[in-house]
Amino acid sequence: MPLLAAAAFFSAAALRVCDSLLPRFAAEFQRSAGESGRLIVAFAVAYGLMQLLSGPLADRFGKQRLMTLALAGSGAASAAAALAGSFDALLAWRALWGMAAAGVVPLAMAWIGDAVAYEARQATLARLLLGTLSGMVVGQLLGGLCAETALGWRGAFAVLSVGYWMVAALLWREPSRAPAAAAPAAIGAPSAGPGGLGAVLAQPWARIVLVAVFLEGVFLLGALSYLPTYLHAREGLGLAAASAVSALYAVGGLAYAVCARRMVAALGEIRMAAAGGVLMATAWAGLWLLPHWSAAAPLAVLLGFGTYLYHNTLQTHATQMAPQARGSAVSLFSFALFTGQSLGAAAFGRLVDLQVYAALLLLPAAALAATGIGFALSLRRRAARIVAG
């Protein structure tokens, strides 16, 4: 488990590192913040599309092997991105980086799905979440700090490259550090039986989960990419300070991960999904009504806590959508999330360029409240059908 969490750490850091660097990219390459946001979109689109291949390959050839190759490829792509001489070259390397990174977190989730009984899976996924969220915090802070120093974005990418290669080497040499299973031979091994993307999409419940996570990608991750830019433009914060405040989103997620077992026992999945949607909406609306920039800090924590009340419930269902094709199922889940993020980042980037900040914050507030409550109602209907036989 520690190595899976470390792999998730660097993958998540890569996802968020560009958020705080957007103004630096804009100044260096003479682009607008919205145009610079294409670096986020390119990573997310490539990441999402590659899911359609990485999951089925992992089911066929084994999750450990694919994860190791993905980590090594991410290290190579991030190193090449650090040496890019133009915006277009950087955009291309960022896309290749996203393709490589596609085989890290989703396959770690599928690996846990192979190893852990459903009843304990949400708490175990929360431990993986500690690595993911720590990476989000460090990635955003790394981007903010490098944005205001001589290291710049090249230094940030180089640091991540070294981290990827270290984890890849450790995972290759010591695969036994992966989670122990009830059936050890199944861990990271090829899946048996009929599977593939078709087996996932054939399940009505899987389609509901995929739509829910797609909407989360559009309205949460798409808008979240511009939170440091918003705080920098509206509140006058420096890039390091704006990224530090935005990184508190992940601190809220870490708070959830620490108490996940108790939250699952106390609330159950239905109330967790609904409460998550309401808390996310409250935080986004609060960010628009800021009386002072300092109020953004607790709101960012609240946003992260609400997000993972909701998202970890989705993740748990993703690992069970098609057990015979778990790699494909979790990868399709990530595909939906990052396709949503790419569309959201592109759309919200236009709003940022037009300085329409009300829509940047209030559209996610309304949409995420509706999505969280809607998914909770779907869970309730599903539970009623199961009880009815």
Side-chain angles (χ1 to χ4, degrees):
M1 188 68 198
L3 279 181
L4 295 185
F9 174 93
F10 286 104
S11 184
L15 178 65
R16 296 259 70 101
V17 70
C18 283
D19 293 2
S20 305
L21 289 165
L22 291 182
R24 179 77 178 246
F25 291 128
E28 186 166 333
F29 294 109
Q30 289 82 51
R31 309 274 176 151
S32 69
E35 288 178 306
S36 299
R38 289 167 59 198
L39 294 168
I40 296 171
V41 175
F43 186 97
V45 169
Y47 188 108
L49 289 174
M50 193 62 185
Q51 300 300 328
L52 299 177
L53 184 60
S54 64
L57 284 175
D59 285 334
R60 183 175 179 82
F61 297 109
K63 300 174 184 66
Q64 185 269 346
R65 183 180 301 170
L66 264 293
M67 279 188 66
T68 303
L69 290 174
L71 287 163
S74 295
S78 53
L83 300 173
S86 68
F87 184 82
D88 288 340
L90 179 57
L91 194 64
W93 283 116
R94 223 2 220 176
L96 289 171
W97 188 352
M99 291 175 66
V104 181
V105 174
L107 297 188
M109 290 169 54
W111 201 332
I112 289 170
D114 288 346
V116 180
Y118 184 83
E119 294 75 17
R121 201 173 296 162
Q122 184 150 181
T124 305
L125 286 169
R127 292 168 58 197
L128 180 69
L129 191 61
L130 287 172
T132 303
L133 291 169
S134 298
M136 291 175 68
V137 172
V138 172
Q140 204 148 42
L141 290 176
L142 177 67
L145 291 172
C146 289
E148 296 187 335
T149 68
L151 289 173
W153 54 271
R154 298 182 191 275
F157 290 176
V159 169
L160 294 177
S161 177
V162 173
Y164 275 124
W165 280 330
M166 288 176 60
V167 178
L170 290 170
L171 188 62
W172 180 260
R173 294 179 61 184
E174 300 190 41
S176 62
R177 291 193 183 186
I187 299 299
S191 297
L197 302 176
V200 182
L201 293 173
Q203 308 297 322
W205 179 243
R207 295 196 293 270
I208 291 174
V209 173
L210 293 172
V211 169
V213 79
F214 171 81
L215 293 173
E216 181 190 10
V218 172
F219 292 104
L220 177 71
L221 296 183
L224 190 62
S225 299
Y226 298 100
L227 184 55
T229 302
Y230 164 73
L231 294 173
H232 175 67
R234 178 176 163 177
E235 301 299 329
L237 296 181
L239 293 177
S243 63
V245 171
S246 300
L248 292 172
Y249 161 85
V251 173
L254 286 169
Y256 162 76
V258 169
C259 63
R261 192 180 299 275
R262 292 191 295 273
M263 295 297 295
V264 173
L267 294 179
E269 291 183 339
I270 296 172
R271 283 181 289 181
M272 286 173 66
V278 170
L279 291 179
M280 286 188 285
T282 301
W284 280 114
L287 286 165
W288 171 242
L289 298 171
L290 281 180
H292 186 264
W293 71 263
S294 60
L299 288 170
V301 174
L302 181 67
L303 179 60
F305 190 84
T307 295
Y308 287 97
L309 269 177
Y310 174 70
H311 184 74
N312 213 45
T313 302
L314 289 181
Q315 279 192 147
T316 305
H317 280 270
T319 64
Q320 199 64 20
M321 291 190 300
Q324 77 279 17
R326 191 168 274 124
S328 297
V330 175
S331 291
L332 196 54
F333 177 84
S334 292
F335 169 77
L337 177 65
F338 283 91
T339 299
Q341 182 193 8
S342 64
L343 293 175
F348 287 116
R350 296 291 299 275
L351 294 176
V352 168
D353 283 347
L354 295 172
Q355 299 183 3
V356 186
Y357 293 122
L360 175 69
L361 301 171
L362 298 181
L363 279 176
L368 291 168
T371 301
I373 293 170
F375 187 69
L377 292 173
S378 296
L379 280 171
R380 177 172 292 173
R381 287 193 294 269
R382 183 171 187 260
R385 286 196 300 269
I386 292 172
V387 170

